[in-house]
Each structure stands twice: as C-alpha cells, then as structure tokens.
Amino acid sequence: MSTPVNLQPAYVLHTRNYRESSLIVELFTCDYGRVPAVARGARRPKARMRGVLQPFRRLLVSFSGRQAMKTLLDAEDQFSTGRLQGTGLYSGLYLNELLMRLLKAEDHHSTLFNAYEHVLAEIKSGKNIEPLLRDFEQYLLRDLGYGMPFPEQLCSHEPTNSNPGQFDETVYYYSPDGHFFLLDNKPEAEQLPRCFQGKHLQAIARSDYADREVLRAAKRLMRLALHPLLGDRPLQSRTLFKH
Amino acid sequence: MSFSPLIDQLIDAFRCLPGVGPKSAQRMALHILERDRQGGDKLANTLLRAVNEVKNCRECRILCETGVCNICASRSRENSQLCIVESPADVLVIEQTGLYRGRYFVLMGHLSPIDGIGPAEIGVDLLLERVDQGEIKEIIMATNATVEGEATSHYIAEHVKHLGIEITRIAHGVPLGGELEYVDGSTLAHAFAGRHAF
C-alpha cells in the first residue's frame, strides 16, 4: 500500500504515546481492517488531531506508508450524536480490547466494521447491553472463521406449538476444540462447566435472549469459545464490570 | 568504532530517558566526560538519592521523599474536599491556579484495559480506604477529558456513591478566549449539555 489512502471511515481502538509529542494510533478501518499508524505531533497543545483521536467516534482518516506502521496524514471527526456513558463505556472498552487482541493488522473486515458501528450506536441509544455484546461476539467469531457449529437438529427445528419443549431435556457438551456433542447420560461433574441445554443453544443460535437463563448460558459459551483465541492473558476490561 | 566499555555503558544508560536516542545519548555522555565532570557527579548523586528515597505519598500517592507530601501534611487545607487527578503534573497545574484549597488523590494513570491497567494499578483500594475515614464531603473528579479518563471517573464514582458523598466532575467546554467556530463538535456538544443558568 504505497499510495495514500484517503478519507477512510475508521474508529480509534487504542492510542499510546510515542516520543515527545506523537501518538501511535490503532485504527479499525472499514476497508483495511486494523491499521496501526503514527500521528506525528498529535500531542502538541495546538495539534488539530489532538481531540479527534478518541475511541468510539466515527472518523475519516487518511494514511500512507509501505511498512506495517502507517503514517496518519489526517483525521476528521464525522460528528456523531450520543456518547458512551457508564456501563456502556466499559462495554465499548471491552469491544475495543477484543478487537485489539483478535484482529490481525490489515486483514479486511468490512462487515465486522459495520457490526461494530451498529453495536456502538445501539449501546449509545441505551438498549440492553448484554444481548448486543453476545451478538457481536458471535459475529466476531464467525468473521474470524470460528463460527459456532450449532448442532444441526437444533437449528433445523423451529419450536412450534405442537412440540414447544422438544429440546428441553437434551444436554450438549461443548468440547475444547469447539464442537457440540449430544450427551446421552447425565453429565459428570467436571463436564458441567462446558454443558449447555439444547433449548438454550437453540435460542442463542437465533439470538433470542429474552430469557435470563439463555443470556447467562450465552455469556458462558462465548467465554469458552473466545478463551483459546485469547490465550492465557485474561481480558482486563472484564474486571471493570465486577463490583 | 566504539568507545571503551564504560563510556558505551554510560551512553546506553542515558538512553533510558524518553526522547533520547543514540546520538543525543552520546552527546550527553561526552559533554559530561569532557566538560562538566562536577555536573556529572552532582547528577549521579542526586539521581541515586532520588531513585532510592522518592516514594509515593502514603495519603495521596503523589511522588515525594518525605512519606507524606506537603499538601497532605499541611494543616491549612480543607479536609472536606478531595480532588482526584491522573498525574502529579495535574496537581501542579491546579495548584498554580491557586483556587483549590482541598486535598488531592493522584491515580498515577487511568484505567486502560488494553494496556493492562486495571483498578488495582491506579490505587482504587487506597482511595476507598481514605474515603471511608469519613472526613470527605465532596469528591471532585478532575481526570482527563478522554475516554479512559471518563471511564476512570465513572468507575470511582460507582464505588463511592453508596457512602452518600457529593461527587462532582470538572466542567468541559469552550476554552476561554476560544471562538465557537473553531471548537470541535464533541466539545461543543459537551458545552451545550453542561450549560448553566445565566
């Protein structure tokens, strides 16, 4: 990428100080995925980009460079309404940490970009955050090529009035390599943390989180699915949610 | 060509400073050795003493060598107000305004999950201990107007609100002498949201 990229929609995932007055900015762009770039002089008192390079704001960025680390030429704020507050802010930081940890630099992810934009807008509008996060996690896993292989019999059977509780009693074991197995017997104690009720999985596959139990199961399932990708270093933003 | 090992070591040691590359480090090392040995002696002694003796203040976490810093030890300051800032430099600018007569608490950073900085690293436990002592009536959040600063303020506010203390946040908006035309949209939105009766 030697020709400059102009006015690319982007969000800032993270910034860190670089030398006396510059910043290294991790951008999540629409067409180029995650792009690290140096914003020269961005910390000077009168720098134009100073207030602009903040997370959760839709920017139009221009950058150039042949190396992995680009040079940020310009960043404009596309003034977006609303801002993240309170728990929404923690959730935003959680999303950014997930993307920072899981996206490789310059991997194309434009549908994920749209999903990220959508989830930020929904959080800003004050919707219930948890279902939004679970949906985004599912989306992210799919986009990275680790989609949930939900058992076919669950997905092909819509619950109907004639058999509302068809999968009430079935229990599935989610193996460490990411597959579901139908358990014939009662699960053993050490299997329990990786066991899920069929009806819950069915609801998760449909993104139907009306039931608190489903939401709790979805959280557990996503943690199990993300764990191998994140490695041993836990996500720090999770500590913010603890009280 | 390289210098003798000790000089190389000195050059390398200077490079731990921010913004000092190989060339500047070499210039500094040669300056001290060629022209200012006395200055070098003073630098070495002071540096060693400072590194050994300067610690965080027991009360507010600011850097000082006396155990408890001047502001915390002062009797003329009000105990009812506590201002929470991110860095010692912030204390300095607030002190320069001369308006604030309360106490401080310095977080020495802000919450930044991606950098691995959580509540424990910014001393929230110590802060809560201090607030629990009961003298404080108002907590003024003076963290930076960044996403991380905002998250930090919110986290602290959430953890002290059950004590019934008044929690305030410093205002954000149009700078003095600033023209609206040149103020960025987000700041202006803040300024509008935080408008007050004339």
Side-chain angles (χ1 to χ4, degrees), chain A residues 14 54 57 86 90 236 243, chain B residues 113 115 147 154-155 158 186 190:
Chain A
H14 182 59
Q54 285 287 315
R57 284 163 68 168
Y90 299 164
Q236 274 285 338
H243 290 289
Chain B
D115 296 315
V147 164
H154 182 79
Y155 185 86
E158 236 183 2
S186 303
H190 252 293

Side-chain angles (χ1 to χ4, degrees), chain A residues 10-28:
Chain A
Y11 284 88
V12 170
L13 293 180
H14 182 59
T15 58
R16 61 177 194 271
N17 294 348
Y18 175 61
R19 306 182 80 159
E20 280 296 279
S21 60
S22 301
L23 277 179
I24 291 178
V25 192
E26 293 281 351
L27 296 163
F28 183 34

